C-alpha cells in the first residue's frame, strides 16, 4: 500500500513547478527527494498535503483517490524548515496540541505525548517553553508534534537546513531512527544535500525544474546517475565535467595529453562525450603532465577543497587532510581514468566506473 501520484502537473505564470510527475511512496519506507532550490520539492509536498491544487494529474492513497479531499481531512503531518512552535505553550502542550484539537482524552493523550517526547529525547524538557530550548531541541519539538498524531503521511521539508553545521549532523543521525520508527507511515523528506539523502533515504528521488530525473536506492543513483544533471545534483561538491573525445582506448581533452581509458568508459564507441569525475577522484600528482593554477582554497573539517584553473576549464579537488596552498600556485593534477563517467551529447549516462 502506498501514496501514488500520476501525471502531476502544476504551472504558475507559465513556469512548470511540477511537470508530469509520476511517483509512488510506499508505506514503512523513507523517500528522500533531492534537488536544487526551485526544483519543485516543496511544491510536491504542499500538493501532496492538499495545500496546492495541481492543474493536472491525480493523487491516491492506498488506491483511493484523494484529489478532492481538503487538506484538513487528509491527515497529513508536515514539518517545515522554520521551527513552528507555540511560544506561549510549554513543550508538553506544544506536542499535545494536535491531539487536543482532535478531542483525544486523558490518559491516552498524556501517554502518547510522553512516549513521543521520550522517543525524540525531550522527556526531561516537558515543562520548558520553546525559547528555553536550543535550535535542535526546538526542531525536535516540531517533529514530535508531527509524530504524535500517528498520521499515515509524514512530510518533512528540509527540516534541518536552518541549523548550524554541527547541529545538522547531530539531528540527521537522530532522524533516521526517529522517522523509520513512524510505524507504517509514508515518510517523504526533502533536501538539497547529497550526504543527507545518502544517510536517510531508503529511496532517493532526484528532481530538477519540476521534473523527476531518477528514482532508486541511494547507491544506485550515486553509482549510476541517469544523466549529467543527476550526477551534478547528487554530488557534493558538484561533479567536474570536461568535454573530450574517445578514440581507440584513449580519451583526448583539449590542452591535455591523451588519457588511457579504463573501467566503464573503456568500451565506449569512438566519438565525442562529456566526461565527469567527482572531486575526490582528482588528485595532485607530481608525475602528471597536466597542471593548473589554484584559484580557490577552503578547509572544511579534515578536508581541503581546492579549485584549479586548467586549459580545459575549472576543476574542484576534494583532498583528505589540511593543505596549505596559495592562490595562483601551479599544481600538477591527475584524473583517475577508472573513476570517469561518460555522458552523450544529450546528457544521458553511457559509461560509469565499475564498482
Amino acid at each position: 500500500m502506498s501514496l501514488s501520484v500520476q501525471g502531476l502537473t502544476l504551472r504558475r505564470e507559465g513556469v512548470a513547478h511540477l511537470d508530469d510527475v509520476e511517483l509512488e511512496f510506499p508505506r514503512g519506507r523513507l523517500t528522500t527527494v533531492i534537488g536544487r532550490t526551485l526544483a519543485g520539492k516543496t511544491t510536491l509536498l504542499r500538493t501532496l498535503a492538499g495545500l496546492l491544487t495541481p492543474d493536472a494529474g491525480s493523487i491516491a492513497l492506498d488506491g483511493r483517490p484523494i484529489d478532492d479531499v481538503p487538506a484538513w481531512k487528509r491527515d497529513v503531518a508536515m514539518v517545515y524548515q522554520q521551527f513552528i512552535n507555540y511560544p506561549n505553550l510549554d513543550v508538553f502542550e506544544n506536542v499535545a496540541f494536535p491531539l487536543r484539537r482532535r478531542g483525544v482524552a486523558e490518559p491516552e493523550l498524556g501517554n502518547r505525548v510522553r512516549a513521543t517526547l521520550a522517543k525524540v529525547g525531550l522527556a526531561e524538557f516537558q515543562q520548558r517553553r520553546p525559547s528555553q530550548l536550543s535550535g535542535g531541541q526546538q526542531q525536535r519539538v516540531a517533529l514530535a508534534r508531527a509524530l504524535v498524531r500517528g498520521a499515515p503521511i509524514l512530510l518533512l521539508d528540509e527540516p534541518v537546513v536552518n541549523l548550524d553545521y554541527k547541529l545538522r549532523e547531530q539531528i540527521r543521525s537522530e532522524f533516521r531512527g526517529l522517522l523509520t520508527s513512524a510505524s507504517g507511515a509514508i515518510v517523504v523528506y526533502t533536501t538539497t544535500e547529497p550526504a543527507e539523502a545518502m544517510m536517510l533515504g531508503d529511496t532517493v528521488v532526484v528532481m530538477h525544474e519540476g521534473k523527476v530525473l531518477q528514482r532508486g536506492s541511494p547507491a544506485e543513483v550515486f553509482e549510476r546517475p541517469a544523466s549529467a544533471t543527476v550526477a551534478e545534483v547528487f554530488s557534493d561538491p558538484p561533479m567536474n565535467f570536461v568535454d573530450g573525445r574517445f578514440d581507440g582506448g584513449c580519451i583526448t581533452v583539449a590542452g591535455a595529453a591523451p588519457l588511457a581509458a579504463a573501467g566503464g568508459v573503456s568500451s565506449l564507441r569512438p566519438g565525442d562525450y562529456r566526461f565527469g569525475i567527482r572531486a575526490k577522484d582528482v588528485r595532485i600528482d607530481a608525475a602528471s603532465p597536466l597542471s593548473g593554477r589554484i584559484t580557490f582554497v577552503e578547509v572544511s573539517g579534515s578536508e581541503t577543497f581546492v579549485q584549479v584553473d586548467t586549459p580545459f576549464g575549472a576543476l574542484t579537488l576534494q583532498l583528505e587532510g589540511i593543505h596549505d596552498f596559495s592562490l595562483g600556485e601551479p599544481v600538477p593534477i591527475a584524473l583517475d581514468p577508472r573513476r570517469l563517467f561518460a555522458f552523450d551529447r544529450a546528457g544521458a549516462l553511457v559509461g560509469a566506473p565499475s564498482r
Side-chain angles (χ1 to χ4, degrees):
M1 307 301 273
S2 64
L3 177 70
S4 62
V5 299
Q6 299 290 327
L8 211 58
T9 300
L10 188 147
R11 293 179 179 274
R12 294 291 183 270
E13 298 179 356
V15 178
H17 294 268
L18 296 176
D19 190 352
D20 196 25
V21 171
E22 301 206 0
L23 287 170
E24 186 165 340
F25 304 99
R27 286 187 182 275
R29 306 279 287 177
L30 198 161
T31 301
T32 304
V33 181
I34 183 172
R36 298 169 178 153
T37 301
L38 302 180
K41 307 182 300 298
T42 299
T43 302
L44 175 63
L45 294 194
R46 290 174 63 82
T47 305
L48 294 176
L51 301 174
L52 293 174
T53 302
D55 300 314
S58 62
I59 305 173
L61 178 61
D62 297 340
R64 176 177 57 86
I66 60 172
D67 304 278
D68 296 329
V69 178
W72 63 277
K73 281 189 175 182
R74 287 197 187 185
D75 198 11
V76 174
M78 194 161 179
V79 180
Y80 299 88
Q81 294 179 11
Q82 300 290 345
F83 311 137
I84 301 179
N85 295 314
Y86 303 107
N88 59 316
L89 301 179
D90 62 23
V91 168
F92 183 97
E93 290 300 329
N94 260 280
V95 177
F97 187 82
L99 300 184
R100 293 200 187 283
R101 289 196 63 183
R102 293 184 172 205
V104 176
E106 297 282 3
E108 182 186 350
L109 181 145
N111 290 338
R112 286 171 62 175
V113 171
R114 284 187 287 271
T116 304
L117 287 174
K119 188 182 296 183
V120 301
L122 293 176
E124 61 187 284
F125 300 99
Q126 295 183 47
Q127 306 307 315
R128 292 194 186 182
R129 298 289 178 91
S131 61
Q132 298 173 301
L133 303 176
S134 69
Q137 290 168 336
Q138 290 184 58
Q139 187 62 294
R140 277 184 277 173
V141 173
L143 178 62
R145 191 169 57 250
L147 291 173
V148 77
R149 292 175 52 182
I153 303 172
L154 177 59
L155 309 176
L156 301 101
D157 189 18
E158 298 187 56
V160 301
V161 71
N162 291 317
L163 303 179
D164 63 53
Y165 176 78
K166 288 186 177 180
L167 208 47
R168 285 203 305 270
E169 292 298 305
Q170 175 188 337
I171 294 293
R172 279 175 187 159
S173 64
E174 296 172 351
F175 266 22
R176 175 68 187 177
L178 293 174
L179 297 177
T180 53
S181 69
S183 179
I186 296 161
V187 183
V188 187
Y189 186 110
T190 71
T191 182
T192 60
E193 300 187 30
E196 196 165 76
M198 292 285 287
M199 179 186 299
L200 293 175
D202 297 308
T203 301
V204 169
V205 173
V206 181
M207 291 190 69
H208 182 68
E209 296 180 348
K211 293 180 179 289
V212 172
L213 301 186
Q214 190 170 356
R215 183 182 187 278
S217 71
E220 289 169 350
V221 177
F222 185 81
E223 293 172 359
R224 295 196 63 83
S227 67
T229 301
V230 172
E232 193 169 12
V233 170
F234 208 62
S235 297
D236 186 20
M239 183 178 284
N240 296 296
F241 291 102
V242 296
D243 293 324
R245 183 168 183 81
F246 179 76
D247 283 309
C250 286
I251 297 170
T252 304
V253 176
L259 182 67
V265 300
S266 59
S267 58
L268 293 173
R269 293 180 179 180
D272 295 324
Y273 296 93
R274 193 179 192 200
F275 295 98
I277 188 165
R278 291 196 166 95
K280 64 183 179 63
D281 296 319
V282 186
R283 65 185 187 277
I284 294 178
D285 185 350
S288 174
L290 175 64
S291 66
R293 291 189 177 275
I294 293 176
T295 58
F296 177 80
V297 180
E298 179 184 20
V299 176
S300 178
S302 60
E303 295 178 319
T304 303
F305 295 88
V306 182
Q307 188 168 3
V308 179
D309 189 20
T310 76
F312 50 82
L315 293 179
T316 299
L317 287 67
Q318 182 178 355
L319 308 175
E320 291 187 5
I322 297 175
H323 300 264
D324 185 17
F325 295 109
S326 299
L327 296 183
E329 178 183 345
V331 289
I333 57 174
L335 313 181
D336 186 344
R338 298 165 301 175
R339 304 305 304 164
L340 284 174
F341 294 79
F343 303 90
D344 64 19
R345 291 177 179 234
L349 181 72
V350 292
S354 304
R355 290 189 178 183

